[in-house]
Every structure is written in C-alpha cells, then in structure tokens.
Amino acid sequence: MSATLRVLPLGGVGEIGKNMTVVEYDGRMVIVDCGLRFPTAEMMGIDLVLPDFTYVRENIEKLEAIVITHGHEDHLGALPWVIRDLGQDKIPVVYSGQLTIAMARSKLDEHKLRDVPLEVLPIGDTVDAGPFEIERIHLTHSIPDSSGIALKTPLGTILFTGDYKFDQTPVGGAPADMARLAELGKEGVLLLCGDSTNVDRAGVSDSESIVGPHLDRVFARCPARIVVTCFASNIHRVQQVVHAAEKNGRKVALVGRSMRKNVNIGRSLGHIDIPEGMLVTPREIDQFADEKIVIISTGSQGEPLSALRRMAYRDHPQVELKSGDTVVFSATPIPGNERAVNETIDRLYHIGCEVVTARDAPIHASGHGYAEEVKMMINLTRPKYVMPVHGDYKRMLIHSQLAQAVGIPASNIFRTENGLPLEIDAEGARFGKAVQAGMIFVDGVDIGDVSDVALRDRRMLSGDGIFIIVATISEQDGSSVVPPEVLARGVPFLEGNSAFIGELREAVEDSLDGAAEQQITEVDVLQSHLHDDLAKFIYDRLKRRPMVLPVVVEV
Amino acid sequence: MSATLRVLPLGGVGEIGKNMTVVEYDGRMVIVDCGLRFPTAEMMGIDLVLPDFTYVRENIEKLEAIVITHGHEDHLGALPWVIRDLGQDKIPVVYSGQLTIAMARSKLDEHKLRDVPLEVLPIGDTVDAGPFEIERIHLTHSIPDSSGIALKTPLGTILFTGDYKFDQTPVGGAPADMARLAELGKEGVLLLCGDSTNVDRAGVSDSESIVGPHLDRVFARCPARIVVTCFASNIHRVQQVVHAAEKNGRKVALVGRSMRKNVNIGRSLGHIDIPEGMLVTPREIDQFADEKIVIISTGSQGEPLSALRRMAYRDHPQVELKSGDTVVFSATPIPGNERAVNETIDRLYHIGCEVVTARDAPIHASGHGYAEEVKMMINLTRPKYVMPVHGDYKRMLIHSQLAQAVGIPASNIFRTENGLPLEIDAEGARFGKAVQAGMIFVDGVDIGDVSDVALRDRRMLSGDGIFIIVATISEQDGSSVVPPEVLARGVPFLEGNSAFIGELREAVEDSLDGAAEQQITEVDVLQSHLHDDLAKFIYDRLKRRPMVLPVVVEV
C-alpha cells in the first residue's frame, strides 16, 4: 500500500498532439495512448513527430500493457514506430475497442509487425495488467469506438478521458456513459486526466446529429455534382452524408485512399450502414448524371496530395469538377492549415464551383466537449486530483480554472509538462523528478532525435542553397593539380551569370595560393581556410549565406 | 477620341497582395500602386514576391507617372525593386500623399535610389501626366494618408479605390471624402477598380475610434506591465494606445525597428501626437514601475524575429516579461499566420502572462470596408464598368454579386486575371490580349523569375538533404586514383551509422567498376551513371530521395 503511483505524460501536455502517458505503480507500467503529431513547415522534410519514448525503452521490462482510447492519429499513430523500436516481443498486449484495434492492426500490418498481441477489451469488461485493473468507458467523439480509460490501483482510480464530448444524440451509437462515470465518481476517482481541446469555448458543443439535416438541406439546392469533404475517420459524418445523399436520390462515391480504407473497416464492424446499390466506384462516377451523385472525398485540410486538392487543381484522374458543382467542407481547418484550405477553396471558386463551409451552414460539429462539458465531466467523476491534458498551456490553464469553478482546490490541480511526472501516494500528490521527453522525428524509415544537425543543415540548404568546391591538389607540394570544380545547387539567378562562377573559381585559386603562402597543408585546415574565404566572397557578392562545402582531394 | 483605354492588372487580382495596375491611353502609361507579397513556406528562402513587371520594362518609354494609393507593403513595397530594375532615370515621377511619399523615400534611400522624383500630390489638386489627369481622393484605411486615385482621360474617369473603409469617426483625420466621390459619380465614372478584401463580411466595418475606449478599459484592469502589439504602420492605432496609456497614468515605450521608424515618420508629419515626456526608450523601461508602463511592440503576426516573439521566447534584450504582465493583440492574424500567432500566445501563457486578443474585447478594427461599404462605394460613384481588384477569386466573385445587387449589369462587370487587360473604347469594354504576368522573386539582392531551377533544388535539399560523391579518376584509363570522397548534408541519423557511409563508398567503387566495364569514359556520362546507381542504392537503404551529386575529377 505504500507504493507510489506515477503519472508521466510523454506527450500531449503543453502542446496539441502526440498524446502518450505512462502510468507506473509498484514497479509496473501501463501506457495510455501512443499518438503522433504532424510536422510544421520548419521541420523540413520530416514525415512525422513522435513523443520521445526513451523512458519507456529504458523501463520496458516494467510494461504490462498499452491501452488506446480511440483511433485518431494523435492517440494511435505512433504505435507502429514505438513497437518497431521496442521490439514486438517486448509488448505484452495492446488493448482497445474493436474499431480501434482494427485500425491498429492495419497500421502494424503496413509495418510488417504481425506478432503484436492486440486485444479487444469490450465496454463493461475489465482486465488485470499487473497491479492495474483496466476498464474502458464508452464516450462520444468524432470517431466511433472512443472511450475513457479507468486504471484501478490499490491507491485509487485514474481516469483518462481521451478525447470526448457529451453528445446526447450521437449518430450510430449510445450517448457517453454518464452513468458509469457517475458510478466511478461515487466509488472515488483519485485522478482525472481530462481533454482540454475545447475548454476555451463557452457552453456545450453541438451534437453530431444536427449535421445530417443541414447536409440534407444543402444537398437539396445543389443543381449538379456534390463533393463533400470530411475527415476519413469521421465514420458517423460519412454515414450522415450517405443518408442525405439517399434522401436526395443520389449515389455515393468514396474518393481518396484513407476514405475508402476507413469506410471499409467501419462497414465491416457495423459502424456505418450504406444501403445496397448506393455505393459506386470512382471510375463509375461519370456514368451517372451530375445531379445523381455525391462524392465523399479526403482533403478537408487542404493536404497537398489529397483527392480534393487534386480536383481543385484539375489534376484528379477520376473526378473533373466544373462550374455549377458544389463542394461542401464538412470540417473546419486545424490551426496551421488555414492557408492550404483557403487556397483549395479559391481554386474551386476559380473553376466556378459553389463552396459551402461550416461558416455558411451548421455542417460540422466538433468532437471535443466545450467548457460546460468539461465541468460536467469533473462533476460526474468527482476526482480528488485533476491533471489537464491534450492541450497547449493556454488550454491547460483554462481547464484548471474550470476545475476550480466546480470546486476542485487549486492545490489539487496539476498542470504538468511532458516528462514531468505527478506522484501520488497515501500522503498526497506532488511533481516528481523530470525524465527525458520531447520529440523525435520520423524521416523516411528511420526515427531519431531533434538535436540531429541534419535539420539545421536542411534549413540552411533550403534558405540559400549550396556551393560545392572541389580542389584537387598534389600530395607533394599542395599545388593545384587541375582547375577547381565549382558547383551550385539551390542558388538562384546564376544561370545567366557564368561570370560569377568564373570569379568564384578565381577566388578558389586565390584562396589556395593564400593557403600555400601560409604553408597550410593539412586537408582539414585547408578546407576550413577555403570555406572561410569563399563564404566571405559569396556573401559580399550575393548578400546570401549558402552552405559552402569545400572538398580537397589529394592526389 | 478613338484611342483605347487599357487597364492591365499585373498583380492583386485572383490573389491577395502585390497590387499593381498599368493604365494606358493613347500610347502613354500610368502605373497605380507597386506592391509586394510575402513568400509562403514553399518559396524556400525567398525574401519577397513581386509582380512580374516585364510588360512595364518593355514599354518603359510610355511611362508618365507612378501613383501610390497608400503606404502599405502590398501597394508600395515593390517600388524600390522595380525602380532599381528599370533605372531611376526612366521614372518621370512618383505621386502620392505626404506620408506615403515619406515612406517611399525611406525605402528608396535604403536601396541608395536617391534620384527618383517623388512628389506629394495634395488632396484637391490635380496634375497632368500625358493624357491623364491625376487626382487623389481622401479615403480612410488602417494607415494615415490613404487615397483613391482618379485618372481622368478623354474617354472617361477611372477610379482606383486602393484599400478603404467608410469610417465615419476615424482617428486623427477626416472621414472618407464621400462628397468628392459623389461628385465624380455625377460627372461620370467610366470604370471603378474596387477593393475586395472584406466583401465577404456582411454589414459595415467597425470604426477605428471604437478601439480606444476598449483599450482604455483593458488597461484599467492590468496590474503589471502591458505590451500592446499592432501593425507598425497603423499610426492611428498607436495614437489610441498612447491615449489609453496616458489615461491610465502610464508611459509608453516603442519596441521593434519598424515601430520606431513608422512612429517617427508619423510624428514628424503630424499624424500622431505623443505628449511631452510620455515616451521612454526601451532601455529606460526598467526604471519605471510595472504599472506605469505600456510597451508598444511589433510582432502581432508572430513574425520569427519580431520583438514580441523574442519576448515570448525570453530572448529580448530589453524586455523581460513575467507572470502577471498583460499582452494585448490589437490586430488579427493574416491568413497563414495563425500558427505563428498561436505559438506566440502559448509561450506568453507559459510565462504566466495574461493575453487579450480581439476575441476577448473589441480592440481591433479592420481597415477594409465590408459588403455594405462596397455597395455604398458603387452607389456613390455610379461607375459604368466595375473591375473587382485586391482579392482572390472568391472575393472578386462576391464583389461582382454586390455590384449586381446595386444595379450594375453583369455584362459591365469584369473579373480579370493578372496580365489580362480590360480594353475600353467608345464602343464598349472587353478583355484584350493577355500579356506576361505572374510573380518574380527577391532573393538576397537579386530578383528573378520563378521558373528558376533553384527553388526546385531547394525543395529537394530541404526535404531530404544531399549526398556529394567525389571520384578522382585517371585521365588515361579512368581508374580510381584515390578512394572516393562521400559527404552528406541534411541527411539525418547518419551520425551513428558510419557503416552506411562505408557501404556507400563501396557502392561508388562498384559503380565506377561497372562504368569501366561499359567503357564509359566521358565525365558527363560517368557522372550520370554514378548518379543513377547511387540514387538507387540510397533509396533502397534509406527510403529517401536526397539529392545525389557526383563530381568526377580527372587527373
């Protein structure tokens, strides 16, 4: 009983995305969620951003289970990368709901990780993982099969909400299980780790089911083709688009790889019902009259290679949009994607399409509860301690204020940072000693850490390009054996400027002469000498600082 | 009288920014505005984007005058670059208002262009430029000294609104000159080229003067330091911040180079009044109690090197923010800047600052008129033809719909593209033959065109880095003289992987052997052979496509 409970977020606090939390008790460990972030523009060429899970690697023998709240990338997406790194044999079991497990399996398959024990933990069941008893609690969110995770320990219960809203009329499923939350609250929740995404919005979020009738109305006044774009994982949104299409006597085509994949998984598990004969393939679209078809497409965030973006730039192999068609954005841009979304919309206007967004009609509902729902979660579960998660500092701060507003003492609210554990024992709760945390990058097939010099080099290369100078000198006396080679890449406006390359070559010769006078013979020193001379010459002439890479070859 | 009037936008239609329009009549030419855009993330390392002004260069002997509506970068910023390219001696005269001319002079001085005739054209005066009579009409906008430009020709008057709103209670100046607009309307406006920026907003924009009292109220409840950030050119906003500071017994410090520069110019021309003793230097800030100071700072758009961004990252030499300080964003993010602004705000929350944005209080007013104002402009000026400008396709379309709503026939509304001139003669109006248009880039001190291969190279370099392979071979038999050199830059995760570099070196040797077998001796062919072999080897191993640059040196 004297053991300490440690709750250690490795991602998702003080930031949005890559959610991952380690819970330890009595020398054993459970991980809740394993998500990723998408890189920002400054992370040049980086494919994905993962939480730094060094702590997990170093404590892997403690691992009892990984539990996933739901199937979104920011909660599930890092799983294959983490497992590949840790080794499949080190993972005792991954628990989640049926859809989430199916999505996890599909991801792990792509990484040829076929030996990971994935187990469906049905709502209402519990399972033991070392000193933890794990239970999933049904909640509502913008993907089916979302759940909170209760971890019962001898010290008390920790409840992770995952992402949630209290949707009283969700589509294709039950409302959030308020009764079970209340029961947990009565039994006593020691710590609530709650979603902060929409704490800054007053009131209560719209129900998902308001969207359908509005889509229906929008469709009713469309004279030609309709394209609806939404998140591919938002199966219930797709369901509502299908219903609205059916009501308007239109067939439905799914366009975009992830859209087809998610709807297929969703259909096979009964989360979406598409009536017989409603679905046509992208190739068949042209066989139907314009007013008889709805295309459901990826690309709601303006993603460069997405189906909708390609349609907007008249570059999609199956779908050619034209004046009079309507494109419906049943999603809002995630911060940072506004420009890409605006560009897509403007191309659509250029084609002559009508564009309908969530500003024009209530055709989108957020998957995250607003302030009143966050307060309700706390009131239902009556936790002793609160730890805001899934949010930047601003949202974690507002979450804390909401918790205080419903009676949680400020001293029982813990805003932490990635890597900073909360430690709870019979005496109380306090922050423990910070461990390594931060981000690691996926680049191609490899993962590695941010301190790598490569990113700095990429920024330099992208900003100003590179000059490569190859000087071939005699091993005997250091004299130039053949004229130096000068190459440039990513340096603009050189084409009509062969004079500059000539002068640069002369500068190389001058620098080599200078080195000879100073009796510089060692290759490293000579390269450094060349670098300094040429970087200065280039800056003086171009007012830019491209990378300058001298290669000295001794023959 | 039979001459044709040509109105040729070279920038600013179908896009936001880099506004520039050429007007020709009877073989003579006037240019209205000369603006730039800021590059997007994909334009790697590019400093500025200018309109392609090839047409102007090729017709420079026709030029009578350049007229600038107001001092914002998207209307004035390209001027030094364009003049530098065309030659100072080719510019007969640049007309604008006093403040705008002062700002133009400051820009041209930085480029050492001191021989350009810059002339203030006062409101109410007219000046002849070849067949054109030029008049400035006072309008209101988020920078003082904004004006519409009327160009009278024998065929009729063209009115360029520039950027405007109908502010009935502007700060520090008169309302927009509706009387003169109405007079022009009575006399007959042939063509109205109107601002489309806010056509998608219903109703009427807020007056600038509502901002002051709200700033006053926000300041009144701030317990410690206040930092207000706004656009440096928004002199009247700065004026209101100064007034609110004065009311609250606080001194004012200006932080950020452009803030100090613009306020200095504004003060010297009487556009802003800062009472004696109110202004303290950034170095003096620490001499005042926290509740006795307001810092007015650049950085409202989250710009990387701006003063506020540096404060947020605790990296500003003079201003150290702390818990309890308040940062007031008296500006909204321009689309595309949301992420940078959000990051700045979150760092400020992390420090413990209070952050107040235009969502929390009406502390910002847009400088562009909304739909009702755009309709009013058309009703006042009663143009025969309308050409929406300053907007993307969506806004130009909505502008057209507004024009139709106030009675302009659809056939008299011309939505054009950059490079596509509208031609008007006694018979009517129609599009003419398109000329070269688009964007050119400023990179360092040079300007050049987008087709330059350098940008593609930069994208490749930034995405995956570069491998450089130097093979030194014998001129006689093509055999390797010294072992090949292999260098990588911007390729991550190589550090602990010297094995890979070793293997790559072997692959170079293998490739050289293969070339020898195929009796490839010419350097170009050999380089291409090496490139293909090594690119394949690298992709197979890393699943990335870095640039592969083989250099073959014959000795």
Side-chain angles (χ1 to χ4, degrees), chain A residues 40 45 339 346 443 458 490 544, chain B residues 40 45 339 443 458 490 544:
Chain A
T40 58
R339 186 192 286 255
D346 212 52
D443 188 288
R458 284 185 185 180
R544 303 296 282 172
Chain B
T40 59
R339 187 191 286 256
D443 189 290
R458 285 184 184 179
R544 302 297 281 174

Side-chain angles (χ1 to χ4, degrees), chain A residues 172-204:
Chain A
D177 193 347
M178 291 182 292
R180 184 66 190 126
L181 291 172
E183 249 173 28
L184 287 171
K186 270 205 153 163
E187 292 161 24
V189 169
L190 182 65
L191 173 67
L192 176 69
C193 296
D195 179 14
S196 309
T197 308
N198 275 343
V199 288
D200 56 339
R201 302 198 191 178
V204 173

Side-chain angles (χ1 to χ4, degrees), chain A residues 79-316:
Chain A
L79 193 67
W81 302 99
V82 168
I83 292 182
R84 211 191 64 172
D85 182 273
L86 297 174
Q88 297 184 71
D89 57 316
K90 298 286 172 34
I91 310 299
V93 61
V94 177
Y95 291 117
S96 194
Q98 196 183 32
L99 175 68
T100 314
I101 289 295
M103 294 174 80
R105 177 159 291 128
S106 160
K107 281 180 188 298
L108 293 173
D109 279 355
E110 285 176 16
H111 285 77
K112 302 194 172 61
L113 298 166
R114 300 210 166 84
D115 300 324
V116 182
L118 301 175
E119 287 198 20
V120 173
L121 177 61
I123 296 290
D125 286 8
T126 61
V127 69
D128 285 335
F132 302 95
E133 186 188 281
I134 306 174
E135 179 184 346
R136 294 176 58 241
I137 294 100
H138 171 72
L139 296 176
T140 44
H141 184 46
S142 46
I143 184 171
D145 198 32
S146 288
S147 56
I149 304 295
L151 296 183
K152 292 191 191 169
T153 73
L155 259 183
T157 297
I158 313 175
L159 179 61
F160 293 86
T161 65
D163 292 348
Y164 73 97
K165 66 196 281 193
F166 285 109
D167 194 336
Q168 305 299 335
T169 51
V171 170
D177 193 347
M178 291 182 292
R180 184 66 190 126
L181 291 172
E183 249 173 28
L184 287 171
K186 270 205 153 163
E187 292 161 24
V189 169
L190 182 65
L191 173 67
L192 176 69
C193 296
D195 179 14
S196 309
T197 308
N198 275 343
V199 288
D200 56 339
R201 302 198 191 178
V204 173
S205 63
D206 282 335
S207 169
E208 177 64 23
S209 62
I210 69 149
V211 170
H214 287 285
L215 285 174
D216 188 10
R217 256 168 261 171
V218 169
F219 288 8
R221 58 177 170 79
C222 292
R225 274 190 193 167
I226 299 170
V227 178
V228 181
T229 184
C230 65
F231 282 105
S233 63
N234 199 339
I235 307 285
H236 292 149
R237 185 66 51 82
V238 176
Q239 176 73 78
Q240 298 195 91
V241 177
V242 170
H243 281 325
E246 196 183 12
K247 279 195 187 168
N248 285 273
R250 289 174 181 255
K251 304 277 182 189
V252 158
L254 304 171
V255 174
R257 198 180 77 94
S258 63
M259 185 60 75
R260 288 201 300 278
K261 183 175 143 185
N262 278 289
V263 172
N264 277 339
I265 296 178
R267 276 183 102 180
S268 69
L269 298 178
H271 289 289
I272 179 169
D273 173 38
I274 304 184
E276 200 64 44
M278 272 285 288
L279 206 58
V280 306
T281 68
R283 281 172 202 288
E284 292 169 331
I285 291 172
D286 285 338
Q287 299 172 18
F288 293 86
D290 287 350
E291 69 278 13
K292 293 292 175 199
I293 199 100
V294 173
I295 295 159
I296 308 178
S297 173
T298 53
S300 69
Q301 300 300 309
E303 303 93 322
L305 301 174
S306 65
L308 181 63
R309 180 91 174 187
R310 295 185 67 183
M311 292 178 210
Y313 282 81
R314 298 177 171 284
D315 179 37
H316 194 276

Side-chain angles (χ1 to χ4, degrees), chain B residues 313-348:
Chain B
Y313 283 81
R314 299 177 170 284
D315 180 38
H316 194 276
Q318 275 105 33
V319 185
E320 193 179 332
L321 293 177
K322 58 189 183 311
S323 182
D325 290 342
T326 303
V327 179
V328 179
F329 281 77
S330 186
T332 49
I334 290 173
N337 294 343
E338 292 87 349
R339 187 191 286 256
V341 172
N342 285 349
E343 279 171 6
T344 305
I345 290 176
D346 213 52
R347 297 313 301 179
L348 293 168

